[in-house]
Amino acid sequence: MRLGSINGLRFKQLKLVILAFFILFLLWKWEKGTYYDSGILQPDPLVLTNPANSKFVDQHTSSEEDFPNVDPLPQSVVKVEKQVTGAPPPLTMVGYSVDVADEKELLPPEKKECNYRNGKWVSDNHRPLYSGFGCKQWLSESWSCRLTQRTDFAYEKFRWQPEACEMPEFEASQFLRRMQDKTIAYVGDSLGRQMFQSMMCMVTGGKQRPDVEDVGAEYGFVLAHGAKRPDGWAYRFPSTNTTILYHWSSTLCDLEPLNPSDHATSYAMHLDRPPAFLKNNLHRFHVLILNTGHHWNRGKLRANKWEMYVDGAPNNNRNIAVIWKAKNFTIHSVVKWLDAQLPHHPQLKVFYRSISPRHFFNGDWDTGGRCDNTNPLAKGSGIRLNHSEDTEAEGAVRGTRIRLLDFTALSRLRDEGHISRYSIKATRGVQDCLHWCLPGVPDTWNEILAAQL
């Protein structure tokens, strides 16, 4: 009788052990099923500093980059290269979107602020937000790919879905109401101007708006003698008293003519001074978006006759004179200055936008470089990183009240969205792999900006 009881007990224990293993197996399978989809790309790090084995080349893809107050420049943009040796380790892919160094300070997941860097591109047949045919009042003809020889427009049909939150749909009238009595200022190079024109098309739905006032004269935006365009534009929506403007400042430092009476004069490029436009108008702004990057090369400095100055005198610091270090010095300087100004301008929110990636393959703009892939998301659909690919931008804003608009990695997945060979002139052998088709990727930049406002 006792032996039977013992055997029965052992059989029951065996069944419990088997059941426990089965439950553990099911739990393991369930956890496997919650991992992020395999479409995520773990990108190679994009090198934004200039180590000893990297170089900057005087290259340019479009006259849209020309400095507005000088003669047309040779076409050139700075080449952002990947390190061959001595490269930093690949950025770690993690299951959350915060800096791993801050784990102890994490808020509960339901209260965690949305990190728009991580997420994926998803198809959306409700896109684009406006028509490239219709937005002629605000959109440069050379950036409207609907007006070129291009015949594929699949790149217009995607939206960015952040990993840990829902991004609200952009609604023009609602956005203008939120921005009532406010001024939004974009300050930077032609990629900043693309963002500005994108926003103008988004808030108007790409429609003609005769009621919108040109108020450029209030900000000194007038066409100088001999210039191809003014150094900015400003428009006001009377219904909400909302002003949206753009000011050309390709390097975010102050430029001062050394001999104002001489049209051929050189310019002092004050690396430690913000543009005079910012100093003079900061009190008028409520939202400020800054960017720089692709104009920092020796070709641009020579063509524009820019001479580096620090502390009001020609720069003699060889360390700063290195072009990529001069760029980083300037970015840190303007961010530091703005952070110090914010207590005096409590109405102001400032954003620094990370660099927009170039997509030249097998050469550059003048050596057969191409970006004519038309297959969306050929390199993957998603990003999951715990640091920005633009390490200099991330470092500059760290510890300040300036917020980073981190668009580099998500934009790098969209190589099919560039103007490519489909320009108005369609110069044989030349492709624009720096600027973007509009409607297109810069619309997503503005959606993320609007979500953070």
Side-chain angles (χ1 to χ4, degrees):
M1 189 72 175
R2 176 177 291 181
L3 183 60
S5 299
I6 292 173
N7 288 337
L9 183 60
R10 287 177 177 172
F11 181 71
K12 290 179 180 178
Q13 290 174 333
L14 182 60
K15 288 198 295 183
L16 289 172
V17 170
I18 292 172
L19 179 62
F21 273 111
F22 181 72
I23 292 172
L24 287 172
F25 177 77
L26 290 178
L27 288 172
W28 177 75
K29 291 291 286 182
W30 179 80
E31 288 182 348
K32 289 277 285 184
T34 62
Y35 291 159
Y36 213 86
D37 70 75
S38 58
I40 280 194
L41 171 70
Q42 172 60 22
D44 295 330
L46 179 69
V47 177
L48 299 169
T49 57
N50 190 25
N53 63 334
S54 184
K55 62 182 179 180
F56 284 73
V57 183
D58 179 23
Q59 296 163 339
H60 190 59
T61 58
S62 169
S63 60
E64 294 291 346
E65 287 279 310
D66 291 348
F67 188 72
N69 294 320
V70 297
D71 294 333
L73 305 180
Q75 295 183 335
S76 59
V77 292
V78 61
K79 184 176 182 180
V80 182
E81 295 187 308
K82 192 167 65 175
Q83 287 176 316
V84 178
T85 60
L91 295 171
T92 305
M93 184 156 52
V94 293
Y96 47 91
S97 53
V98 295
D99 191 327
V100 293
D102 298 330
E103 284 181 353
K104 294 181 181 179
E105 300 177 8
L106 286 179
L107 296 172
E110 63 272 15
K111 295 182 180 179
K112 186 173 66 175
E113 184 178 1
C114 185
N115 186 322
Y116 295 93
R117 174 198 305 137
N118 294 322
K120 61 182 178 180
W121 289 101
V122 296
S123 179
D124 187 344
N125 287 327
H126 294 98
R127 303 302 167 108
L129 299 174
Y130 56 90
S131 166
F133 284 122
C135 196
K136 296 179 181 179
Q137 188 175 357
W138 322 109
L139 179 55
S140 294
E141 187 179 61
S142 59
W143 291 340
S144 178
C145 291
R146 288 274 182 175
L147 301 180
T148 68
Q149 311 89 347
R150 189 161 187 162
T151 58
D152 68 290
F153 303 101
Y155 65 87
E156 294 182 348
K157 297 292 186 180
F158 290 91
R159 64 177 173 84
W160 181 248
Q161 175 58 59
E163 180 183 65
C165 56
E166 290 292 329
M167 189 161 68
E169 191 77 18
F170 183 88
E171 206 284 311
S173 59
Q174 182 188 66
F175 179 77
L176 286 174
R177 285 195 299 271
R178 287 168 53 204
M179 295 295 106
Q180 182 155 352
D181 300 321
K182 291 180 170 56
T183 297
I184 303 169
Y186 296 88
V187 177
D189 59 23
S190 61
L191 277 303
R193 183 150 59 93
Q194 283 212 297
M195 198 172 173
F196 159 74
Q197 291 191 6
S198 161
M199 178 60 84
M200 290 301 301
C201 290
M202 288 168 65
V203 296
T204 60
K207 301 291 196 306
Q208 292 288 316
R209 287 287 299 269
D211 62 310
V212 176
E213 301 172 359
D214 183 341
V215 293
E218 294 183 17
Y219 295 89
F221 299 152
V222 294
L223 186 64
H225 178 69
K228 294 195 296 184
R229 62 183 71 88
D231 60 357
W233 294 264
Y235 298 103
R236 183 166 296 140
F237 292 79
S239 60
T240 58
N241 193 34
T242 303
T243 303
I244 303 176
L245 67 86
Y246 164 78
H247 172 68
W248 171 273
S249 180
S250 60
T251 57
L252 294 184
C253 58
D254 196 31
L255 296 172
E256 182 182 33
L258 294 176
N259 183 359
S261 62
D262 181 6
H263 291 295
T265 186
S266 296
Y267 288 78
M269 185 185 190
H270 295 285
L271 304 182
D272 53 350
R273 294 185 194 171
F277 178 80
L278 284 183
K279 279 189 172 182
N280 296 336
N281 293 284
L282 195 65
H283 65 285
R284 307 170 74 175
F285 302 154
H286 299 84
V287 181
L288 175 61
I289 306 99
L290 305 169
N291 89 287
T292 189
H294 293 292
H295 274 254
W296 287 91
N297 62 82
R298 290 294 175 188
K300 283 293 185 188
L301 267 65
R302 288 192 299 269
N304 287 298
K305 300 179 180 178
W306 293 341
E307 299 178 10
M308 293 184 188
Y309 272 58
V310 176
D311 291 329
N315 175 50
N316 294 316
N317 186 328
R318 290 187 178 182
N319 194 40
I320 294 177
V322 178
I323 195 73
W324 66 272
K325 291 185 178 180
K327 172 180 73 75
N328 297 338
F329 179 81
T330 298
I331 294 171
H332 281 258
S333 293
V334 71
V335 166
K336 183 179 179 181
W337 177 78
L338 281 165
D339 190 52
Q341 297 300 311
L342 284 178
H344 308 293
H345 305 282
Q347 84 288 354
L348 179 61
K349 294 182 179 179
V350 181
F351 297 85
Y352 185 84
R353 204 209 71 203
S354 69
I355 197 166
S356 173
R358 302 162 78 246
H359 282 97
F360 287 99
F361 297 102
N362 300 321
D364 225 286
W365 74 273
D366 57 350
T367 58
R370 303 162 66 91
C371 55
D372 50 6
N373 167 49
T374 57
N375 181 24
L377 307 178
K379 292 188 173 182
S381 63
I383 291 292
R384 185 181 287 165
L385 302 171
N386 60 344
H387 287 284
S388 174
E389 285 191 338
D390 189 343
T391 55
E392 295 302 336
E394 187 173 52
V397 303
R398 185 178 296 120
T400 73
R401 285 155 289 198
I402 315 303
R403 301 183 68 175
L404 179 66
L405 292 173
D406 194 1
F407 300 150
T408 306
L410 66 89
S411 302
R412 196 156 62 83
L413 294 175
R414 298 299 309 279
D415 63 291
E416 90 289 3
H418 286 292
I419 292 169
S420 185
R421 66 176 183 271
Y422 305 105
S423 63
I424 296 294
K425 295 181 180 179
T427 305
R428 189 174 182 84
V430 175
Q431 297 197 19
D432 185 348
C433 305
L434 173 66
H435 299 103
W436 302 89
C437 289
L438 290 174
V441 172
D443 303 329
T444 294
W445 303 346
N446 277 318
E447 287 184 275
I448 294 175
L449 168 67
Q452 294 193 59
L453 291 177

